[in-house]
Amino acid sequence: MTIAFDNSYARLPDRFFVRQTPAAVAEPGLIAVNAPLARALGLDPDLLARPDWVAIFAGNALPEGAAPIAQAYAGHQFGGWVPQLGDGRALLLGEIVAPDGRRFDLQLKGSGPTAFSRRGDGRAWIGPVLREYIVSEAMAALGVPTTRALAAVTTGEIVWRETALPGAVLARVAASHIRVGTFQYFAARDDTEALRLLTDHVIARHYPDAETPLDLLDRVVAAQARLIARWMSLGFIHGVMNTDNMAISGETIDYGPCAFMDAYHPAKVFSSIDQFGRYAYGNQPQIALWNLAQFASCLLPLMGEEGPAVEAATESINRLPEIYGAEWLRLFRAKIGLVSEEPGDRALIEALLSRMAEGRADFTRTFSGLAEGAAAAEFSDPSLFDGWAADWTARLAREADPKATLRAANPVYIPRNHRVEEAIRAAVAGDLAPFHRLNAVLARPFDRRAEAEGYDAAPAEVEIVTRTFCGT
Ligand code: AMP
Ligand code: MG
């Protein structure tokens, strides 16, 4: 099977990337091919599971038409400026144009060292590869814009991370891998020509109706506002919202230390390296604004006279809270069963959330329990819920079919940390069954069913995962 690659990014000037072939591995082995995604891309999943494609996913061969590159980018990591990051353990193989005309990057993650690897080995172990596979596919099934997992393979090699672990490679698909940090890379070098080329590329690729850099900024602000609202509506904590991990396309990217909350708390943090809670659940909208301010400043040289440009850019990013707030309200209204809009709705939602925090209620189970009359049991003190439910019931009386709204808005199954870690532990021991089972459950997150029994449960006390780690 040959892919009709059309590698538009690799046709940009040389300073956008470094050409690099993947490093061959000892013994490629198939973990999974994502059949529905393959089909959507116009690829035959059965052929992708055959040895020649497993070798390609492992980096031992190149598909015809590929132009492998490590993309250059910079970024703010935890607020600190890093002038050069780049693909240190990933390679963009090329771009696939799907049968529906949409263009996708095909990237290998864990494919060996590049010019951007610094002290890293360019490799990944099976843990982060499976974690990204599971969580990114769960996000897609939940309707959240995200990079996807096309395939995962083992390398037959050991990767050292404090201890010896099995190596793996993820084949990732994305609308593109262009980040806020890609713009920052060129802005920091005063390379206005590159910024112009990058802006034109991004507009043509992601926002074809935008005509100017300011239009682009407006579009990216809106896309990020909606994305973060989606995360918030699911209790999702990205964990490492550095500017190099914010995609211009509006897709969720980088599933390193991410986590779905079990018990709700706005200050919740999982990432082991997020000491000060910069990327806590409740901070995510603020951080998006901060990141977009960095993006806006990169576009300024393309926006004409400085004074008016700054003013227009500021106005654009300041619309984020408004767009985010409206989307948040729309999503959370549905989560409590509301379709109609009344002035008191925001306060009603916020009252529930603050009681959930106080009662350490499980985020997903509380909302999914609303349709089933089971939410009160999620609170350490059920009267916290009952005290709210009186107002809610009165409000619901003015809704036509709140049960249907609740069921459509609230997933039953999310990739809970303890399940993800269970799947990884088993895989390290050679058993992929829990990984495949978890993926099958998460493929239909809203559809409660007997064969998924137990996957809706919150972790038992001893199963609770409190820390997640960057997937290096
Ligand atoms: P991340 O934390 O995944 O956003 O990565 C931040 C930067 O570190 C990027 O430039 C990565 O390419 C680089 N990096 C992370 N892990 C490795 C690794 N194992 N080898 C080389 N570079 C890495
Ligand atoms: Mg990253």
Side-chain angles (χ1 to χ4, degrees):
M1 179 176 50
T2 54
I3 294 180
F5 282 106
D6 178 48
N7 306 323
S8 65
Y9 203 86
R11 291 195 289 269
L12 289 166
D14 283 350
R15 58 195 191 281
F16 279 70
F17 49 78
V18 175
R19 294 189 193 275
Q20 173 73 55
T21 45
V25 304
E27 197 188 334
L30 183 65
I31 298 173
V33 165
N34 183 343
L37 177 61
R39 282 186 214 103
L41 294 171
L43 308 176
D44 180 339
D46 295 329
L47 296 184
L48 293 185
R50 300 239 284 247
D52 55 334
W53 269 92
V54 173
I56 288 170
F57 291 136
N60 285 20
L62 278 176
E64 203 182 312
I69 54 173
Q71 291 175 293
Y73 54 88
H76 280 94
Q77 298 188 311
F78 291 91
W81 171 242
V82 185
Q84 182 172 299
L85 288 163
D87 290 331
R89 60 168 155 180
L91 289 174
L92 175 58
L93 289 185
E95 298 160 34
I96 304 174
V97 181
D100 65 2
R102 290 192 299 158
R103 175 181 295 268
F104 293 96
D105 277 2
L106 175 58
Q107 194 205 56
L108 298 185
K109 195 169 171 187
S111 50
T114 75
F116 302 115
S117 296
R118 290 168 293 168
R119 286 171 302 281
D121 59 3
R123 289 297 183 190
W125 69 280
I126 199 170
V129 167
L130 296 190
R131 167 179 277 272
E132 175 156 349
Y133 194 115
I134 295 163
V135 184
S136 67
E137 286 307 305
M139 291 286 265
L142 289 162
V144 184
T146 178
T147 64
R148 303 287 304 267
L150 178 62
V153 296
T154 49
T155 62
E157 293 180 0
I158 290 299
V159 170
W160 283 95
R161 299 285 183 271
E162 287 166 14
T163 157
L165 293 160
V169 181
L170 179 73
R172 176 159 82 180
V173 167
S176 83
H177 286 82
I178 301 165
R179 311 133 191 273
V180 169
T182 316
F183 282 81
Q184 290 181 290
Y185 179 86
F186 294 112
R189 286 157 181 76
D190 289 324
D191 190 343
T192 309
E193 193 204 43
L195 284 173
R196 193 164 287 124
L197 289 169
L198 184 60
T199 300
D200 290 347
H201 178 93
V202 161
I203 288 177
R205 194 161 169 181
H206 299 305
Y207 303 98
D209 63 326
E211 285 174 3
T212 63
L214 179 61
D215 287 345
L216 172 63
L217 179 59
D218 288 341
R219 302 295 188 283
V220 175
V221 166
Q224 286 294 335
R226 285 194 294 267
L227 179 65
I228 310 297
R230 298 302 294 269
W231 292 357
M232 300 301 277
S233 77
L234 293 165
F236 178 77
I237 305 169
H238 182 282
V240 60
M241 285 178 73
N242 296 332
T243 55
D244 55 303
N245 292 332
M246 181 177 266
I248 298 299
S249 66
E251 290 181 340
T252 310
I253 188 170
D254 198 315
Y255 288 91
C258 67
F260 282 75
M261 280 191 279
D262 298 306
Y264 172 73
H265 198 284
K268 192 76 192 158
V269 174
F270 286 91
S271 172
S272 59
I273 57 168
D274 191 0
Q275 288 171 38
F276 303 106
R278 179 180 170 90
Y279 300 139
Y281 172 80
N283 286 356
Q284 296 185 119
Q286 278 301 321
I287 290 293
L289 186 63
W290 193 92
N291 289 350
L292 290 165
Q294 308 307 316
F295 179 51
S297 80
C298 296
L299 295 176
L300 287 177
L302 308 179
M303 286 173 58
E305 204 194 324
E306 194 177 332
V310 170
E311 207 168 294
T314 306
E315 218 173 276
S316 178
I317 58 174
N318 282 342
R319 275 194 292 274
L320 182 130
E322 191 189 314
I323 302 169
Y324 166 79
E327 184 66 1
W328 183 95
L329 185 54
R330 188 182 73 77
L331 293 169
F332 275 87
R333 265 199 181 107
K335 288 182 78 67
I336 64 165
L338 308 180
V339 171
S340 66
E341 299 176 8
E342 292 185 14
D345 294 345
R346 179 180 287 277
L348 186 64
I349 296 159
E350 281 169 352
L352 174 61
L353 289 170
S354 92
R355 283 165 185 262
M356 283 167 63
E358 192 183 339
R360 295 188 296 278
D362 185 90
F363 185 88
T364 304
R365 289 180 60 88
T366 299
F367 284 105
S368 63
L370 290 176
E372 282 137 30
E378 298 302 321
F379 291 70
S380 58
D381 171 4
S383 74
L384 280 167
F385 177 80
D386 297 335
W388 176 81
D391 291 345
W392 178 55
T393 309
R395 174 66 181 85
L396 275 194
R398 297 187 291 282
E399 286 291 325
D401 190 0
K403 271 221 163 92
T405 307
L406 287 166
R407 292 218 163 96
N410 295 309
V412 178
Y413 309 110
I414 51 154
R416 291 186 184 264
N417 293 309
H418 67 294
R419 289 291 191 180
V420 174
E421 296 205 354
E422 173 187 65
I424 293 170
R425 266 197 312 275
V428 169
D431 177 12
L432 287 170
F435 165 73
H436 291 302
R437 213 178 305 131
L438 183 55
N439 285 328
V441 169
L442 296 171
R444 284 155 55 206
F446 297 93
D447 183 6
R448 187 183 288 284
R449 51 205 192 273
E451 78 262 21
E453 203 196 326
Y455 283 86
D456 62 330
E461 201 69 30
V462 295
E463 294 174 321
I464 294 175
V465 175
T466 56
R467 282 276 164 266
T468 54
F469 299 88
C470 266
T472 57

